[in-house]
Amino acid sequence: MAEIPDEEFILKTTSACAGCSASLTLRYVTKAAGKDTVLVVPACCTSVIQGIYPNTAVDIPVYNVAFASAAAVASGMSEAFRAIGKQTNVICFAGDGGTVDIGIQALSGALERGTDFLYVCYDNEAYSNTGMQRSGATPLGARTTTTPLGKNEYKKDLDAIVAAHNPAYMATACSAYPVDLYNKVKKALSIPGPKFMHVLAPCPPGWRYPAEKTIDMGKLAVQSGMWVLYERESGKLKITGASKAAMKKRIPVEDYLKQQGRFKTATKEDIAVLQEHVEMNIKRLEKEETGIC
């Protein structure tokens, strides 16, 4: 990881849970963005892990805003900076609850207006900050405090919704692959206009696995195809990083699910459906990459 700078903007005094990959994601996002950056953070885990006022573990300006308003605030902020000739990076850093569900209208509006900003959704697949309730990003079969027997619905396809807005750049990433994450953020911030990144952020207490297994969990997600790394620039999709290798030889989805207590009640039928969904999604992405749609 020699290409990643040593300078830290997320200090060691966060109040994150042990093994928190959301804070790890934020660490590499800010390393890529640099000092001339402002974070816009709606209600989410990051509202808490940054520290308790008047102390903070974040060494760049942070605006903590209402749950639904992050992208709207970022739109005004970006316009204000550009009006005075500043190219300060404006980055929304929001969880899946504040993106897939509560904040999706503001995100859609900002993308439609062509806001010059980067929106990062770190996805731990539930409302983790308030006790791990089900969100639109929770996978089929996963247990949460509001789906104790497992969720009955599919995970919302946020990336398809964002792609329909034709942003200047969009990508997926995972905290277990920091170089891929870092490079995509750097690339996104070099492109004017609206950018979106969807980052898988495994959560030890919510997913019910040992804290020291966070990196392993992210890698299993990619190796099984449950999470595919890609980028879409000017409408053209490219599968990237570890997902290129995973396309040729994937591990069974069950190998990923069985490491997590949240899938303890998942039935064989649930697992089979998830495996089928992975196969269909990968075929769709491969066809798009080759231009066969």
Side-chain angles (χ1 to χ4, degrees):
M1 302 204 301
E3 61 264 51
I4 298 179
D6 292 332
E7 188 173 10
E8 299 285 355
F9 300 100
I10 308 302
L11 308 180
K12 296 179 180 180
T13 52
T14 72
S15 51
C17 300
C20 174
S21 66
S23 56
L24 187 62
T25 298
L26 184 57
R27 180 188 182 202
Y28 290 109
V29 168
T30 54
K31 277 177 175 285
K35 190 71 175 178
D36 190 16
T37 299
V38 176
L39 292 176
V40 180
V41 178
C44 60
C45 291
T46 304
S47 304
V48 177
I49 66 177
Q50 64 190 259
I52 301 173
Y53 180 84
N55 300 309
T56 181
V58 184
D59 197 23
I60 52 177
V62 180
Y63 279 75
N64 290 285
V65 301
F67 221 153
S69 67
V73 171
S75 284
M77 190 179 291
S78 176
E79 288 297 319
F81 279 130
R82 305 306 178 253
I84 61 174
K86 293 193 69 175
Q87 296 302 310
T88 299
N89 298 315
V90 178
I91 301 178
C92 284
F93 194 77
D96 51 283
T99 305
V100 177
D101 298 330
I102 296 172
I104 197 168
Q105 48 79 28
L107 172 59
S108 177
L111 294 173
E112 185 269 333
R113 287 188 296 271
T115 298
D116 185 13
F117 79 139
L118 171 61
Y119 193 108
V120 178
C121 172
Y122 67 93
D123 190 352
N124 49 33
E125 300 186 324
Y127 288 86
S128 299
N129 184 38
T130 53
M132 206 64 190
Q133 295 88 5
R134 165 217 192 278
S135 82
T138 304
L140 176 76
R143 296 168 63 200
T144 68
T145 54
T146 50
T147 57
L149 298 180
K151 188 186 174 195
N152 295 321
E153 299 82 21
Y154 286 107
K155 177 170 180 157
K156 189 185 296 185
D157 193 347
L158 174 65
D159 297 331
I161 296 170
V162 171
H165 292 76
N166 296 311
Y169 178 84
M170 66 177 291
T172 60
C174 177
S175 57
Y177 297 93
V179 174
D180 180 72
L181 170 61
Y182 174 86
N183 287 336
K184 285 174 176 173
V185 174
K186 289 287 285 186
K187 185 173 186 177
L189 292 173
S190 73
I191 300 170
K195 287 83 61 176
F196 175 83
M197 288 188 60
H198 194 182
V199 184
L200 184 67
C203 171
W207 293 18
R208 300 184 178 95
Y209 67 82
E212 68 272 15
K213 297 293 185 180
T214 284
I215 300 302
D216 293 339
M217 204 59 60
K219 289 183 177 181
L220 287 172
V222 172
Q223 291 165 0
S224 66
M226 281 287 284
W227 193 262
V228 181
L229 304 175
Y230 66 85
E231 60 183 355
R232 185 181 280 112
E233 185 178 0
S234 301
K236 296 182 179 180
L237 182 136
K238 178 183 177 183
I239 297 170
T240 61
S243 284
K244 273 292 187 184
M247 295 301 102
K248 299 175 182 178
K249 186 177 181 180
R250 292 190 304 280
I251 65 171
V253 166
E254 187 174 6
D255 289 358
Y256 167 61
L257 304 182
K258 69 184 181 182
Q259 303 296 325
Q260 306 167 53
R262 64 175 177 157
F263 287 105
K264 188 175 181 179
T265 59
T267 65
K268 291 182 178 180
E269 290 75 17
D270 289 335
I271 296 171
V273 168
L274 286 171
Q275 183 70 62
E276 182 181 3
H277 187 73
V278 163
E279 304 300 331
M280 291 174 59
N281 184 52
I282 288 173
K283 285 180 181 179
R284 176 179 62 83
L285 292 173
E286 287 180 326
K287 285 182 178 180
E288 184 179 349
E289 184 180 38
T290 57
I292 303 172
C293 296

